[in-house]
Amino acid sequence: MALIKVENLKKHYPVRRGLLRSVVGQVRAVDGIDIAIEPGQCFSLVGESGCGKTTAGRTILKLERPTEGRVLYDGRDITALPSRQMRPLRRHMQIIFQDPYGSLDPRFTVDRIIGEGISIFQPELNRSARQDRVRELLGTVGLPADSFRRYPHEFSGGQRQRIGIARAIALNPRFIVCDEPVSALDVSVQAQIINLLQDLQREMGLSYMFIAHDLAVVKHISDHVAVMYLGRIVESAPKEELFADPRHPYTLALLSAVPVPDPAIRRERIILRGGVPSPVNPPSGCPFHPRCNVRGEACSVSMPGLLETSPGHWVRCHKVAQA
C-alpha cells in the first residue's frame, strides 16, 4: 500500500480586486494531480518555476488547505482532519525548505531550532536528554556536536541546510517533502547534501517527495519522476524509463537542456517559445499547446487524458495518444 496517495488534488487561490475585494478569478496553482509514493521511495516532481511544485508539496502536508481532492497517509484520509487530530501525524510528515537562510529563525540557537519539535512531541525528555539528542542529530548530518549553542548566521549555506535536515529527521518521520533543498547551494555542496539525503533514506527507511527543476539532480536521487506543467502532471514514469524514453514534448524539451559532460555527444536543444502561461487564465485544451512544436488541431480544443503507454509510464498528450 502506498504511504502517500493523492487523488485529484487541487489548490486554487482567489484573485480579489476592487474596493470590496470581490473575487474575479482563481489562480489554479495545482489543478488536479494524482500521486502515489511507496514506502522507502524517492518520488520526484520536476518542472519550471511557477508550475505548482511547491504548492503541491505544501498541500500534501496540509500546510495549505486543499481546494478539492484527497490526501491519504498510510491509507488514512487526512484531507479534512481538524488541527487537533492532524497534530499527532505531523511528526511523521516533515519538510526541508528551499532557502537555508530564510528557513531558520536567526534568534534561536541550533539547540532550540532542532530541539523544538522534540520538546513538543517528547515532553518526557528533560533538558539534558534533549540536548544529547540534538548533539546526536548534528553528528548524523555531519556537523560538530558542540555547534548546538551557535546561531544560524555562524554557518555556511550548506551547513544551514544540514541543520534543516537535522530538524526534519529529529522525530524519526516516515515521509519528508524536500522542496528544492539544493537549488540555493554551490554545486560541490549540492552533491554532499544529496549524498546525505540518500544515506538517511537508506538508514531510516524514509520516503521522499523531492521537488526540483534540475534534472541532473533528479536523475541521481529518484526512483520515480513526475513532470509538472501549469498545475498538472504531464508525464510520470520510473526514473530509468523516463530518461531513456521520454514521450511528452515538454519532457523532451527539459531533457534537451541538461548539460552532457561528454563533449563528443551532441544533443539537439529544443527551444520553447514564450513563457509559462498564467495560472489565472490558462489556455484552452492542453495547457502546453501554445509552446508545443508538434501541436495539432485537437490540442487547443480539449484537455488530453493521462494515457499509460507502458507499465507505470503515463503521458498526457494528444500526439502520443494518436501514435
Side-chain angles (χ1 to χ4, degrees):
M1 181 175 65
L3 179 65
I4 298 290
K5 190 172 183 180
V6 177
E7 299 175 350
N8 192 35
L9 186 67
K10 296 182 181 181
K11 179 59 184 177
H12 298 169
Y13 297 95
V15 177
R16 300 179 184 274
R17 290 180 185 165
L19 183 63
L20 300 178
R21 307 300 294 163
S22 301
V23 177
V24 296
Q26 298 283 336
V27 177
R28 301 174 179 270
V30 179
D31 205 22
I33 64 172
D34 297 278
I35 288 173
I37 303 176
E38 304 295 330
Q41 183 183 52
C42 180
F43 183 102
S44 289
L45 197 59
V46 302
E48 293 173 277
S49 297
C51 71
K53 307 184 301 295
T54 294
T55 302
R58 292 177 63 86
T59 306
I60 289 170
L61 291 178
K62 285 200 66 182
L63 300 178
E64 302 277 356
R65 185 180 296 275
T67 303
E68 191 177 320
R70 296 201 309 162
V71 178
L72 287 81
Y73 169 75
D74 204 16
R76 181 182 181 185
D77 189 351
I78 65 172
T79 314
L81 283 184
S83 298
R84 182 177 298 179
Q85 295 181 34
M86 187 66 198
R87 185 174 179 178
L89 297 176
R90 293 289 183 196
R91 66 182 299 168
H92 303 300
M93 305 167 67
Q94 294 290 317
I95 184 170
I96 300 169
F97 294 98
Q98 175 181 1
D99 182 9
Y101 296 93
S103 61
L104 305 179
D105 194 319
R107 302 167 298 174
F108 292 173
T109 62
V110 170
D111 176 34
R112 185 170 177 184
I113 290 170
I114 298 176
E116 186 173 20
I118 300 173
S119 299
I120 293 171
F121 287 98
Q122 296 177 300
E124 71 279 4
L125 295 182
N126 59 30
R127 179 181 176 84
S128 177
R130 192 196 70 223
Q131 289 183 342
D132 287 343
R133 173 61 175 156
V134 170
R135 282 191 281 261
E136 178 189 349
L137 287 164
L138 287 171
T140 300
V141 299
L143 290 175
D146 60 358
S147 59
F148 74 108
R149 296 190 185 279
R150 295 162 62 185
Y151 289 86
H153 72 270
E154 301 178 64
F155 296 89
S156 67
Q159 290 173 325
R160 292 188 197 194
Q161 197 60 293
R162 290 176 186 269
I163 295 170
I165 293 171
R167 176 176 59 185
I169 66 171
L171 296 169
N172 295 312
R174 298 181 65 192
F175 173 63
I176 299 179
V177 171
C178 305
D179 185 11
E180 303 210 36
V182 298
S183 63
L185 306 176
D186 294 339
V187 174
S188 60
V189 180
Q190 286 184 10
Q192 297 172 17
I193 297 298
I194 291 298
N195 290 335
L196 172 61
L197 289 172
Q198 288 184 307
D199 291 341
L200 292 173
Q201 184 182 22
R202 285 191 295 267
E203 294 168 8
M204 301 177 66
L206 295 169
S207 298
Y208 290 146
M209 180 176 179
F210 194 88
I211 297 170
H213 61 267
D214 188 338
L215 285 167
V217 171
V218 166
K219 186 176 183 179
H220 185 70
I221 194 173
S222 307
D223 298 305
H224 194 98
V225 181
V227 180
M228 196 167 180
Y229 186 81
L230 207 64
R232 293 177 180 269
I233 291 176
V234 296
E235 186 164 7
S236 177
K239 176 190 67 177
E240 293 82 3
E241 183 162 350
L242 185 124
F243 280 87
D245 186 23
R247 300 292 184 87
H248 196 280
Y250 180 59
T251 308
L252 290 165
L254 291 179
L255 287 173
S256 76
V258 177
V260 179
D262 187 349
I265 299 176
R266 295 188 177 275
R267 178 184 291 166
E268 181 182 355
R269 179 72 186 275
I270 301 174
I271 305 298
L272 297 178
R273 66 190 86 185
V276 180
S278 170
V280 179
N281 186 26
S284 61
C286 173
F288 184 63
H289 87 263
R291 307 175 69 192
C292 183
N293 55 6
V294 295
R295 65 181 184 268
E297 294 182 3
C299 299
S300 61
V301 177
S302 62
M303 172 70 71
L306 278 172
L307 173 70
E308 189 173 22
T309 58
S310 60
H313 193 159
W314 297 83
V315 185
R316 187 187 299 275
C317 179
H318 284 303
K319 286 293 185 180
V320 172
Q322 294 167 2

